[in-house]
Amino acid sequence: MSERLGDPAHHFFLTRSVARVMGLSLSEAMNRGQLAPATYADMVTGCRACPLVEACQHWLAARTDLSASAPPGCCNGETLQRLARALH
């Protein structure tokens, strides 16, 4: 049985939104050569398969300021932390 992936557009925006809450622009990271387009695509695909989407959406909704880290259990957390370290 194959795992059903979530809507690509929805997960593109979730991935981008988590990055934004961390003070990151994934487009800017790609332009600077810090994030390969294939890695960005893999991040979105990973998000599409994540079982924590609802928790992520609640985490995003509760944010009133920047966060130093991604939501707990985020499949893209390590990549986002690496980008955050490179930015600062």
Side-chain angles (χ1 to χ4, degrees):
M1 179 166 51
S2 66
E3 185 174 333
R4 184 183 177 290
L5 297 176
D7 176 63
H10 178 71
H11 291 275
F12 167 80
F13 286 108
L14 279 178
T15 302
R16 192 176 103 164
S17 295
V18 170
R20 286 278 182 197
V21 168
M22 293 179 65
L24 301 170
S25 166
L26 298 179
S27 296
E28 188 175 311
M30 282 196 306
N31 288 338
R32 291 182 175 177
Q34 297 169 319
L35 178 65
T39 302
Y40 193 175
D42 289 344
M43 290 172 70
V44 174
T45 301
C47 182
R48 291 178 66 202
C50 183
L52 304 175
V53 172
E54 189 174 328
C56 179
Q57 292 171 324
H58 289 292
W59 182 87
L60 284 167
R63 300 284 66 85
T64 57
D65 54 8
L66 292 179
S67 175
S69 61
C74 178
C75 63
N76 293 316
E78 286 184 31
T79 301
L80 293 169
Q81 285 300 131
R82 179 181 53 79
L83 290 171
R85 284 190 301 271
L87 183 65
H88 303 324

